[in-house]
Structures are given as C-alpha cells and as structure tokens.
Amino acid sequence: QVQLVESGGGLVQAGGSLRLSCAASGRTFSNYAMGWFRQAPGKERESVAVISWSGGSTYYKDSVKGRFTISRDNAKNTVALQMNSLKPEDTAVYYCAASNFRTVFTGASNFGSWGQGTQVTVSS
C-alpha cells in the first residue's frame, strides 16, 4: 500500500495556471505508474493524465492535451500535474492515484491507492 498526499489546488481565473503535487510514501514509488483523476459534482471520476513508472509514456484526456503536463521525480517520490490555460470546465476535485502496474492504464480500477483529493476551482 502507498500513502499519497496532494497539494496545490485552489481558485484561479480562466486562463490561469495551477500546479498540483503529490507526495508518495510506503512503497517503491518508481515501480508503478501514477495518475491524476478528477471528479466534478454529479459526474463520474475520470482519468486526466497518467505517467508510466519511468516517465517514458504518458496519457492525457483529450480535453486537456496541450494544456496539462504530468511529470514525476522518482528520486523524490513525487508526481506533479502542471495545468495551464485553465477553463471553468476543469473545476473538480483532483485525485492523485498509484497504479497497480508499471505501464499506462487509464481506468480507475487499475489504481489501488488514492490521495484525499484537492479542490481546483476555475472562475469564468
């Protein structure tokens, strides 16, 4: 099991930027892919970005491609999500998650550990 703690959420105007960070502990971080999910009120949790164990492969939800960047630092056991050109539709609780696998899978069922979530609100 791995413990995950997110930080960096907040309120930002449309067009602005935020950087989410997630610190992991309790398991060999570099052995597993990591992902960011989000859940808006009344909607299902969705995968936003996933990065493989080495950082060599990534996945992005279509609506965030070109605006969001996922990265990881295996030496520091952290994963980050840089979010630029934010839109009101990006408003959600964002969750960091640790995959059960080394490679990129996007379904939530492939992730065994979750952070507590951090709120991102984008005003128009």
Side-chain angles (χ1 to χ4, degrees):
Q1 197 70 305
V2 61
Q3 291 73 49
L4 303 170
V5 179
E6 302 104 333
S7 61
L11 173 64
V12 65
Q13 288 188 332
S17 298
L18 282 174
R19 183 177 178 85
L20 305 183
S21 295
C22 175
S25 62
R27 172 175 92 169
T28 305
F29 178 79
S30 60
N31 283 355
Y32 300 92
M34 296 292 296
W36 287 95
F37 289 72
R38 68 186 182 189
Q39 188 167 20
K43 295 188 177 181
E44 292 187 354
R45 189 171 297 189
E46 61 182 9
S47 175
V48 175
V50 182
I51 188 167
S52 66
W53 67 279
S54 65
S57 297
T58 55
Y59 157 84
Y60 294 97
K61 180 179 173 61
D62 283 347
S63 62
V64 308
K65 285 180 181 178
R67 300 188 298 121
F68 290 12
T69 302
I70 188 171
S71 60
R72 67 187 296 161
D73 185 335
N74 286 344
K76 296 182 178 179
N77 288 1
T78 59
V79 61
L81 185 68
Q82 177 66 42
M83 304 185 295
N84 299 328
S85 301
L86 282 160
K87 304 176 180 180
E89 51 263 42
D90 294 319
T91 296
V93 177
Y94 283 70
Y95 296 90
C96 173
S99 177
N100 298 325
F101 305 99
R102 291 165 66 92
T103 53
V104 172
F105 291 96
T106 60
S109 62
N110 296 302
F111 292 76
S113 299
W114 296 81
Q116 80 286 355
T118 185
Q119 177 70 47
V120 171
T121 302
V122 184
S123 63
S124 57

